[in-house]
Amino acid sequence: MNLLLLEAADFVAADRVVLRDRRLTHIQDVHRAEAGETLRVGLLGGAMGQGRLLRLEVGEAELEIVLTQPPPAKLPITLLLALPRPKMLRRVLQTVACMGVPRLILLNSYRVEKSFWQTPFLEPEAIREQLLLGLEQARDTVLPEVSIEKRFKPFVEDRLPQLAAGTRGLVGHPGDYPSCPRAVTEPVTLAIGPEGGWIPYEVEKLTEAGLQPVQLGERILRVETAVSALLARLF
């Protein structure tokens, strides 16, 4: 945790917060902070700054807060991601938040097992928990917007063309395609498939919606690796 994320409910005064949950445990066990020390803090959805530890007790910590710094800029990207297996989903959500993706759309695909959609990790609070971990790691305060699309064809045909309009549309997919571009400056709409890639029909529909297939080489990557590799290469 490189940033203590604060929420409105934590404030007991305009410049005072009291923490009693896992953040208190982190202050005690990881920072091993003492009264008078300063920690990095940020208001969820708002600015970042410093928190001076006024008191640290068994059940709670009180900090005096000064917020003066804006959060880091987000990447100019909308990420479409075929729903990964549940355990990987948690790591991918953290990665997405950590790397500054502002909008994530979890999408169905032929190779996505139906059971994946039943996971409790898709519950809003479970998604939020993983996104917060990513923000804390990266020192960011703004949660990505996450939406779920369980029907591939209606989404790609009816909504994706408008969503991708005015952006550079890309489909990450292994095969005889151009290499993924590097260090782009324009907004991007990027679709990443499941392990094994999109099926040909899906690549065709995504292409019709305005997205160009690109590849990273001959190796087949895990979804979480592909997300990091493509974002790093693009930006």
Side-chain angles (χ1 to χ4, degrees):
M1 185 187 296
N2 295 316
L3 184 76
L4 286 174
L5 270 177
L6 311 173
E7 301 192 42
D10 298 323
F11 282 81
V12 295
D15 63 346
R16 298 282 196 283
V17 297
V18 172
L19 305 180
R20 301 184 178 92
D21 54 16
R22 68 180 181 86
R23 294 166 296 177
L24 169 62
T25 303
H26 192 84
I27 292 171
Q28 293 172 323
D29 298 344
V30 178
H31 289 292
R32 298 182 180 179
E34 298 179 355
E37 293 187 26
T38 300
L39 304 172
R40 293 187 182 93
V41 300
L43 176 61
L44 189 62
M48 304 187 303
Q50 303 291 329
R52 185 167 64 90
L53 190 57
L54 299 178
R55 59 183 177 88
L56 181 62
E57 301 174 355
V58 175
E60 64 182 31
E62 183 177 0
L63 295 92
E64 180 183 35
I65 304 301
V66 178
L67 302 174
T68 58
Q69 179 184 351
K74 296 291 189 185
L75 299 177
I77 189 169
T78 295
L79 177 61
L80 279 61
L81 182 66
L83 182 67
R85 63 184 68 254
K87 288 185 178 179
M88 188 175 293
L89 172 62
R90 292 185 295 175
R91 297 194 294 269
V92 169
L93 288 170
Q94 291 184 35
T95 297
V96 164
C98 186
M99 297 192 73
V101 173
R103 185 177 187 187
L104 171 66
I105 300 172
L106 296 171
L107 184 62
N108 199 13
S109 166
Y110 179 80
R111 291 193 171 115
V112 171
E113 296 183 22
K114 292 182 179 179
S115 62
F116 291 0
W117 292 104
Q118 309 304 317
T119 176
F121 298 146
L122 279 176
E123 294 295 326
E125 280 304 309
I127 290 176
R128 187 176 186 272
E129 178 183 358
Q130 300 307 315
L131 296 178
L132 289 175
L133 292 174
L135 294 182
E136 292 170 347
Q137 172 65 35
R139 295 181 189 165
D140 191 0
T141 65
V142 181
L143 285 166
E145 174 191 338
V146 179
S147 57
I148 295 173
E149 295 286 348
K150 293 185 179 181
R151 301 176 65 196
F152 177 88
K153 186 171 183 287
F155 170 76
V156 171
E157 289 185 343
D158 300 338
R159 295 191 289 284
L160 181 55
Q162 182 177 1
L163 185 150
T167 72
R168 186 167 187 173
L170 301 173
V171 181
H173 188 67
D176 187 19
Y177 301 111
S179 296
C180 178
R182 298 176 183 269
V184 301
T185 56
E186 69 265 49
V188 172
T189 300
L190 172 65
I192 300 177
E195 292 188 25
W198 306 100
I199 63 173
Y201 167 80
E202 293 167 343
V203 174
E204 179 183 349
K205 299 304 290 184
L206 290 165
T207 303
E208 290 175 358
L211 278 61
Q212 174 194 4
V214 295
Q215 49 83 17
L216 284 173
E218 298 180 359
R219 299 179 184 273
I220 305 300
L221 305 177
R222 292 182 181 271
V223 173
E224 60 183 317
T225 306
V227 169
S228 298
L230 285 164
L231 291 177
R233 185 175 177 116
L234 285 168
F235 301 105

